[in-house]
Amino acid sequence: MEGKTIVCRCEDITLEEIEELIDLGYDDLEEIKRLTRCSMGPCQGRTCRNLLAQVVASKTGKSIDELHIPTYRPPAKNIKMTALAGGDEDEE
Amino acid sequence: MKNSAEIVIIGGGISGLATAYNLAARGMKDIIVVERGYIASGSTGRCGAGIRQQWGTEMNCRLSKASCEILENLEEILDYKRSIEFKQGGYLLFATTEKEVEQFKKNVALQNSLGINSKILSIEEALEIVPDMNTEGVMSFAFHQKDGHANPFQTTFAYAEAAKRLGVEIYTYTTVRGIEVKNDRIESVITDKGEIKTHRVLNAAGGFAKDIGRMVGVELPLKPERHEILVTEPVETILGPMLMSFSWNFYIQQEPNGTFIMGYGEQDNPESQGVNSSWHFAQEMARKAIRIYPPLSKVRVVRQWAGLYTMTPDSQPIYGSVPGLDGFYIAAGFSGHGFMFGPITGVLMAEYILGEEPEIPIDMLDAGRFERGELIYEPSVV
Ligand SMILES: Cc1cc2nc3c(=O)[nH]c(=O)nc-3n(C[C@H](O)[C@H](O)[C@H](O)COP(=O)(O)OP(=O)(O)OC[C@H]3O[C@@H](n4cnc5c(N)ncnc54)[C@H](O)[C@@H]3O)c2cc1C
């Protein structure tokens, strides 16, 4: 991935991929997120959500306020199945 | 926004967009799709992404087989540059009671007679496909290799992009507030962004199709229900087929990107249009998942959400129109399996709306069947 700018580290999404979608006419954050999986990985967009919003805003000429910012979905933190099931909560 | 159209399609989910594309591909002009949120923001974008042909009624077998065949070629048909992440890792259905064993034998015989090559597997045979699962309490399995998965967003956007190229207008973040009817004929659709004159409306509003029906005085026997689901982090590919049980009530599938998606349906769900998620679901789901497929115990859950099933009294969709109201069409009530039906819904509804003979006869799926008492019960739903 030399010379590429990574926007979402969990899902390995580059700036170019996002710009390509915007060039295709996509200007909605929710749609771009779901088509690329940007911010849908294990960190749930903690770092890239804002970055994605900035990229979309600057490239489409919309203000951040005009964008529909996706909501966070639970759980707030990744959790192992065993812990959820009530088994032993190991390292976390 | 245009102020007139040949047809206004309410709902930018798989049903609405597949129909929009198929109408445009058959030459209809001036098609408008109105979507309250973003594309696939309704049930479609919240679903389990499962595709199966192992059904218990001839109608469902025919619909799902035709739909699956479209999915096999969808990227070419729609000239889609990205992948719809179609996977045919099979569906492995657990029979845990004598009754289910017998039902599956019947289902498989029916499916085979319709060209669906499903089969009954013994415990040993099933373990060859999924060595790590827990088969305690299972009596036999039904399996069909061509069942599997497709990405609901990619699939819906594939239709949306192809429809747009053919001139279809899609208005997102636009809500339908009312429909004008005069002398039993549709006159216009009122949205929060303006009025669109039209004599045809397709109600493809998913969990809100009942509300759309009421706008024209039609009471559809639909019951929206909230269903929950969760997804894990991606891990290496270890599970081929979808694991599913009706009696134990769960489904678990590993998606092509390595994440596991899973859910179950609460018994006696109340009518609801809410989509919040619950801790109870996550806990119960984790317990079921670990018991059935122990390798999942160390895998982390990253996200959970809920969406709507739109149930009909016989768990079969409503396709068609209503007598006495010109130009009002319905494709709703998919009862938890409308994503996989989407591609064929689009074809059949387009043919129906254009007055052609649908390639699979759908008159028995009209809204009038409930009054006539001609229900078609599907025995195999989660
Ligand atoms: C948890 C869960 C798991 C599921 N698993 C599967 C599965 O594995 N396989 C499968 O095939 N199916 C599955 N389903 C069912 C499937 O999601 C639905 O049957 C299917 O998505 C229905 O598609 P649709 O286009 O008819 O409706 P929707 O996708 O709901 O689209 C309707 C659209 O209409 C819009 N709308 C509503 N009212 C208005 C209005 N007034 N104005 C403008 N727009 C409006 C909504 O915003 C919505 O986007 C599942 C569903 C859930 C909830």
Side-chain angles (χ1 to χ4, degrees), chain B residues 10-17 34-51 91 174-177 204-209 212 215 225-229 242 251 264 305-310 331-342:
Chain B
I10 307 174
I14 188 74
S15 307
L17 287 164
V34 181
E35 165 54 52
R36 188 174 56 185
Y38 52 92
I39 288 173
S41 58
S43 302
T44 301
R46 296 164 180 274
C47 84
I51 308 291
Y91 258 50
T174 307
T175 303
V176 171
R177 298 240 194 264
F208 298 83
I212 300 295
M215 290 178 185
E225 284 181 3
R226 177 176 147 273
H227 279 247
E228 297 192 63
I229 185 161
M242 168 82 99
Y251 57 88
Y264 67 83
W305 66 92
L308 301 176
Y309 273 28
T310 310
F334 291 98
S335 307
H337 43 274
F339 171 58
M340 66 180 87
F341 279 18

Side-chain angles (χ1 to χ4, degrees), chain B residues 186-219:
Chain B
I186 303 282
E187 288 294 334
S188 73
V189 171
I190 321 277
T191 79
D192 58 349
K193 306 232 173 104
E195 184 175 354
I196 307 166
K197 297 256 172 242
T198 186
H199 293 306
R200 286 165 158 165
V201 165
L202 170 63
N203 177 3
F208 298 83
K210 191 176 187 163
D211 309 58
I212 300 295
R214 284 179 179 158
M215 290 178 185
V216 292
V218 172
E219 195 60 30

Side-chain angles (χ1 to χ4, degrees), chain B residues 154-175:
Chain B
Q154 300 291 355
T155 307
T156 310
F157 280 100
Y159 277 109
E161 284 184 16
K164 276 192 199 166
R165 282 199 302 273
L166 294 172
V168 173
E169 303 260 348
I170 303 174
Y171 300 141
T172 52
Y173 298 104
T174 307
T175 303

Side-chain angles (χ1 to χ4, degrees), chain B residues 131-301:
Chain B
D132 300 329
M133 68 183 168
N134 177 2
T135 58
E136 207 185 307
V138 187
M139 300 172 88
S140 66
F141 293 88
F143 181 71
H144 181 236
Q145 185 70 59
K146 286 194 168 177
D147 294 352
H149 166 280
N151 180 315
F153 297 110
Q154 300 291 355
T155 307
T156 310
F157 280 100
Y159 277 109
E161 284 184 16
K164 276 192 199 166
R165 282 199 302 273
L166 294 172
V168 173
E169 303 260 348
I170 303 174
Y171 300 141
T172 52
Y173 298 104
T174 307
T175 303
V176 171
R177 298 240 194 264
I179 299 169
E180 294 277 322
V181 177
K182 219 181 265 164
N183 302 327
D184 300 327
R185 182 182 190 212
I186 303 282
E187 288 294 334
S188 73
V189 171
I190 321 277
T191 79
D192 58 349
K193 306 232 173 104
E195 184 175 354
I196 307 166
K197 297 256 172 242
T198 186
H199 293 306
R200 286 165 158 165
V201 165
L202 170 63
N203 177 3
F208 298 83
K210 191 176 187 163
D211 309 58
I212 300 295
R214 284 179 179 158
M215 290 178 185
V216 292
V218 172
E219 195 60 30
L220 296 169
L222 298 175
K223 180 187 167 219
E225 284 181 3
R226 177 176 147 273
H227 279 247
E228 297 192 63
I229 185 161
L230 64 78
V231 74
T232 70
E233 63 186 337
V235 294
E236 68 171 312
T237 299
I238 48 174
L239 178 64
M242 168 82 99
L243 306 181
M244 186 172 201
S245 166
F246 307 114
S247 45
W248 288 351
N249 189 13
F250 70 84
Y251 57 88
I252 302 170
Q253 178 158 233
Q254 187 170 23
E255 302 184 280
N257 72 331
T259 57
F260 281 86
I261 189 162
M262 60 190 82
Y264 67 83
E266 290 294 351
Q267 296 305 313
D268 306 315
N269 251 322
E271 178 157 340
S272 164
Q273 290 176 323
V275 288
N276 39 5
S277 36
S278 71
W279 178 247
H280 167 76
F281 165 77
Q283 265 187 328
E284 184 61 23
M285 185 69 241
R287 285 188 197 122
K288 282 185 192 239
I290 296 171
R291 186 179 68 237
I292 291 142
Y293 193 60
L296 279 169
S297 65
K298 297 279 176 235
V299 179
R300 288 163 205 271
V301 174

Side-chain angles (χ1 to χ4, degrees), chain A residues 10-11 20-21 24-37 39-44 62 67-69 71-92, chain B residues 37-40 45-46 80 82 85 149 151 153-154 157-158 160-161 164 172-173 230 232-234 255 257 259-260 262 277 279 282-287 289-290 296-306:
Chain A
C10 300
E11 295 284 333
E20 216 173 280
L21 277 183
L24 269 172
Y26 287 96
D27 61 357
D28 187 73
L29 218 51
E30 296 271 15
E31 295 182 356
I32 292 170
K33 165 182 155 184
R34 285 172 173 81
L35 278 174
T36 58
R37 282 208 180 87
S39 82
M40 291 176 80
C43 98
Q44 288 289 287
K62 290 186 177 183
L67 300 175
H68 300 267
I69 305 280
T71 50
Y72 283 116
R73 281 173 173 174
K77 200 168 163 214
N78 295 184
I79 176 167
K80 275 190 188 162
M81 285 273 184
T82 35
L84 261 180
D88 34 288
E89 314 234 358
D90 39 20
E91 84 267 35
E92 292 201 338
Chain B
Y38 52 92
I39 288 173
R46 296 164 180 274
Y80 194 56
R82 292 183 298 278
E85 294 164 25
H149 166 280
N151 180 315
F153 297 110
Q154 300 291 355
F157 280 100
E161 284 184 16
K164 276 192 199 166
T172 52
Y173 298 104
L230 64 78
T232 70
E233 63 186 337
E255 302 184 280
N257 72 331
T259 57
F260 281 86
M262 60 190 82
S277 36
W279 178 247
Q283 265 187 328
E284 184 61 23
M285 185 69 241
R287 285 188 197 122
I290 296 171
L296 279 169
S297 65
K298 297 279 176 235
V299 179
R300 288 163 205 271
V301 174
V302 302
R303 190 164 61 247
Q304 68 174 108
W305 66 92

